[in-house]
Amino acid sequence: MIDKDLPALDTHAHIDPDVTPSQIAALGNAVVFAVTRSLHEANQVKNRRDSSLIWGLGVHPGVSTARAAWDPQQFKSLLSSFALVGEIGLDRRGGALAEQRSIFKEVLAIVRDEPVLVSIHSSGASTEVVQSLHDAGMRGAILHWFNGDHTDVQRAIETNAYFSVNAAMSREQIQQFPRERVLCETDFPARKVRARKPADMAAIEQLLSEVWKTSPEEVRAATWWNLRTLSEQSGAIERLPESIADTLLYL
Ligand SMILES: [Zn+2]
């Protein structure tokens, strides 16, 4: 039996730290991973309690001001206020790759044993990001918009990684991911994905339903189950907003 009322589940979107309750309400019945790009942004949201948003603690690899303000002590002190870390990672075109690498390595060493979900950016750097997960002993990362080849995908799976996929990705790419490792995202406001707002999952759920030869409702249920598994394995379920933890536990 599929619960037709399961909230839309968007596991990677960019939401303004100043978002108002009425703007959040306009998302409808939804749960959104709201990643941040810098410790400054994360600091702005750390005390927010929004029942449908899971705020992330991030330092975006492609944002030079975020890298310049990187401070491992500040990151560590913010970490206990978050159930999600993101976005972090590597970006081939983001400049200052040596700096990106050293920050990513430090972040992975800090979050590896923490009860958090971790959303990772790997644009143009799929192979290296997966190698970094292996090197750091990082388990259960969520690779967002992952465009690695077959070998990269297999090596990522060895680290128990998940893949958050969106409607701008090719069917061939999405087919490579095991169904029990897939989550859905909009990466809002990325224009290529064609999501009108965060949690607008219609296009990606339709695409996955065709790939998996099932219904969009089954797709949504499957991604919720996958999030439950990951949240339990990582321990992040203890830090999630209570209403979201309840949704997971009563699936
Ligand atoms: Zn992003």
Side-chain angles (χ1 to χ4, degrees), residues 89-108:
L90 297 175
D91 187 317
R92 179 68 51 194
R93 288 178 308 181
L97 265 173
E99 184 182 37
Q100 289 187 34
R101 287 187 183 109
S102 94
I103 294 171
F104 186 41
K105 193 174 171 185
E106 278 187 275
V107 171
L108 288 179

Side-chain angles (χ1 to χ4, degrees), residues 12 14 35 60 87 121 144 187:
H12 190 107
H14 295 266
V35 297
H60 195 296
E87 93 180 75
H121 177 103
H144 121 80
D187 199 20

